[in-house]
């Protein structure tokens, strides 16, 4: 029997609708409209698509969005100056710097320059550190979105064996923390992990975020497992696929996210949830 498809687009639509209601309530009370500032450096096509999708989501939820497009030759000092300006602007609740950045710019230095309470991506070490001690301020968007999906589909996390494939600062490591704080027993795997297939096969919940097409083989999936595919990869023919071998995995899993239409929409919805939270902190 094929797995139930976890529809991230629908869950994200519901979340955006709820956010729109909360923003309307704020306006009725005379509170300011939540404002997200997005900085795009260079002309990477994928990044431009992501920025456009975030702007559309802001419009749907009644948020104000501000876009700052900078040329690819922008220096680190120029970008930091813009971040400082937005940090000091009381009308801006959240700041997002679209990654990747050009080679001449130190991404970590830029991310750390954003004030933690305006870091709606949740990448600042302060925010990651607060997540570690279960006192989150801004939770990283994609891992938080994954947890929202699991909750929306009634997936019981407590006591389950979870395997995270990929150890990036953006997905893997904070995803491990999110699952651990929900009382799962978590194994995080990476390029040096031995017997990766065995690790995946032992998991009740698999979260894949390595950025390699079809890296996690469908035959590795434990029958009845829940599979969350964070990866999104463009193939030579222009089509998109995830990090999990979907067609085989869906015949073994109980639930699985598609690519596209799974985790991606949730990342954007969570970004706006964080922006609203930032606005509430500013009230």
């Amino acid at each position: 029997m094929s797995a139930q498809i976890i529809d991230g687009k629908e869950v994200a639509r519901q979340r955006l609708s709820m956010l729109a209601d909360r923003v309307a309530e704020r306006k009725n009370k005379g509170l300011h409209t939540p404002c997200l500032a997005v900085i795009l450096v260079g002309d990477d096509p994928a990044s431009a698509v992501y920025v456009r999708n975030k702007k559309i989501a802001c419009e749907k939820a009644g948020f104000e969005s501000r876009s700052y497009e900078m040329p690819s030759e922008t220096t680190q000092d120029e970008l930091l100056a813009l971040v400082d300006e937005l940090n000091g602007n009381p009308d801006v609740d959240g700041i997002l710097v679209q990654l990747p950045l050009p080679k001449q710019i130190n991404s970590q230095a830029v991310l750390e320059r954003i004030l933690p309470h305006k870091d709606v991506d949740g990448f600042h070490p302060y925010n990651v550190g607060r997540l570690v001690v279960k006192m989150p301020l801004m939770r990283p968007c994609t891992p938080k979105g994954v947890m929202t999906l699991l909750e929306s589909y009634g997936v019981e996390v407590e006591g389950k064996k979870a395997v995270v494939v990929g150890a990036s600062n953006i997905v893997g490591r904070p995803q491990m923390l999110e699952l651990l704080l929900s009382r799962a027993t978590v194994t995080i795997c990476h390029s040096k992990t031995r017997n990766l297939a065995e690790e995946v096969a032992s998991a009740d919940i698999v979260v894949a975020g390595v950025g390699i097409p079809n890296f996690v083989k469908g035959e590795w999936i434990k029958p009845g497992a829940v599979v969350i595919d964070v990866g999104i990869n463009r193939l030579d023919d222009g089509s998109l696929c995830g990090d999990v071998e979907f067609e085989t995995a869906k015949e073994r899993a109980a639930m699985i996210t598609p690519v596209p239409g799974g985790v991606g929409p949730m990342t954007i919805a969570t970004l706006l949830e964080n922006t609203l939270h930032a606005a509430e902190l500013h009230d």
Side-chain angles (χ1 to χ4, degrees), residues 155-156 159-163 200-206 222-227:
V155 177
E156 181 63 50
K160 296 295 180 64
K161 170 69 182 292
V163 168
V200 173
S202 71
D204 302 305
I205 301 170
V206 177
K222 175 183 176 181
V226 175
V227 179

Side-chain angles (χ1 to χ4, degrees), residues 239-255:
S239 64
L240 298 175
C241 78
D243 292 349
V244 178
E245 199 175 56
F246 180 81
E247 291 301 327
T248 307
K250 75 176 184 179
E251 300 303 322
R252 298 176 63 84
M255 298 182 187

Side-chain angles (χ1 to χ4, degrees), residues 9-74:
K9 290 178 66 176
E10 175 57 23
V11 177
R13 186 196 65 76
Q14 294 171 8
R15 305 295 285 197
L16 290 176
S17 178
M18 289 190 293
L19 288 173
D21 290 342
R22 290 172 62 185
V23 170
E25 290 176 6
R26 288 180 60 83
K27 293 178 181 178
N28 289 337
K29 294 177 181 178
L31 299 173
H32 80 279
T33 300
C35 176
L36 172 65
V38 180
I39 303 173
L40 175 63
V41 183
D43 53 4
D44 179 70
S47 293
V49 170
Y50 295 148
V51 169
R52 184 169 66 251
N53 288 341
K54 289 163 186 173
K55 183 176 182 179
I56 292 171
C58 281
E59 292 173 354
K60 288 181 178 178
F63 285 60
E64 179 186 352
S65 66
R66 302 184 184 184
S67 296
Y68 298 84
E69 297 183 5
M70 308 180 78
S72 56
E73 60 269 19
T74 296

Side-chain angles (χ1 to χ4, degrees), residues 4-282:
Q4 179 181 2
I5 301 300
I6 298 175
D7 189 347
K9 290 178 66 176
E10 175 57 23
V11 177
R13 186 196 65 76
Q14 294 171 8
R15 305 295 285 197
L16 290 176
S17 178
M18 289 190 293
L19 288 173
D21 290 342
R22 290 172 62 185
V23 170
E25 290 176 6
R26 288 180 60 83
K27 293 178 181 178
N28 289 337
K29 294 177 181 178
L31 299 173
H32 80 279
T33 300
C35 176
L36 172 65
V38 180
I39 303 173
L40 175 63
V41 183
D43 53 4
D44 179 70
S47 293
V49 170
Y50 295 148
V51 169
R52 184 169 66 251
N53 288 341
K54 289 163 186 173
K55 183 176 182 179
I56 292 171
C58 281
E59 292 173 354
K60 288 181 178 178
F63 285 60
E64 179 186 352
S65 66
R66 302 184 184 184
S67 296
Y68 298 84
E69 297 183 5
M70 308 180 78
S72 56
E73 60 269 19
T74 296
T75 67
Q76 182 166 312
D77 286 344
E78 289 170 335
L79 179 53
L80 290 175
L82 176 56
V83 170
D84 289 342
E85 178 186 334
L86 296 173
N87 277 336
N89 188 337
D91 294 330
V92 173
D93 299 298
I95 303 169
L96 181 149
V97 178
Q98 184 66 47
L99 302 177
L101 291 170
K103 294 181 180 179
Q104 74 272 16
I105 299 175
N106 182 326
S107 299
Q108 193 58 41
V110 173
L111 296 176
E112 290 188 33
R113 193 66 159 252
I114 300 171
L115 293 175
H117 64 274
K118 293 193 176 189
D119 167 40
V120 288
D121 254 337
F123 293 160
H124 195 288
Y126 177 85
N127 285 323
V128 177
R130 287 188 67 96
L131 183 62
V132 170
V133 295
K134 206 173 182 178
M135 297 175 61
L137 179 66
M138 294 293 170
R139 293 161 63 186
C141 293
T142 297
K144 182 183 176 187
V146 167
M147 301 309 293
T148 300
L149 278 180
L150 293 173
E151 180 182 356
S152 297
Y153 275 78
V155 177
E156 181 63 50
V157 175
E158 183 175 350
K160 296 295 180 64
K161 170 69 182 292
V163 168
V164 179
V165 185
S168 71
N169 290 336
I170 294 174
V171 178
R173 296 180 192 186
Q175 188 68 71
M176 177 269 293
L177 291 170
E178 289 279 5
L179 289 162
L180 181 63
L181 293 174
S182 292
R183 306 290 288 170
T185 300
V186 189
T187 298
I188 186 164
C189 300
H190 45 75
S191 60
K192 302 300 182 183
T193 298
R194 297 180 180 179
N195 302 318
L196 177 60
E198 295 179 15
E199 293 289 353
V200 173
S202 71
D204 302 305
I205 301 170
V206 177
V207 181
V210 292
I212 301 175
N214 300 314
F215 179 77
V216 176
K217 304 307 176 188
E219 64 191 25
W220 298 354
I221 302 301
K222 175 183 176 181
V226 175
V227 179
I228 305 293
D229 192 346
V230 179
I232 183 163
N233 310 284
R234 189 169 296 279
L235 303 179
D236 292 339
D237 62 3
S239 64
L240 298 175
C241 78
D243 292 349
V244 178
E245 199 175 56
F246 180 81
E247 291 301 327
T248 307
K250 75 176 184 179
E251 300 303 322
R252 298 176 63 84
M255 298 182 187
I256 190 169
T257 58
V259 176
V263 176
M266 290 304 304
T267 298
I268 295 176
T270 305
L271 172 69
L272 297 195
E273 288 180 353
N274 283 353
T275 303
L276 177 57
H277 178 49
E280 293 169 344
L281 292 173
H282 297 172

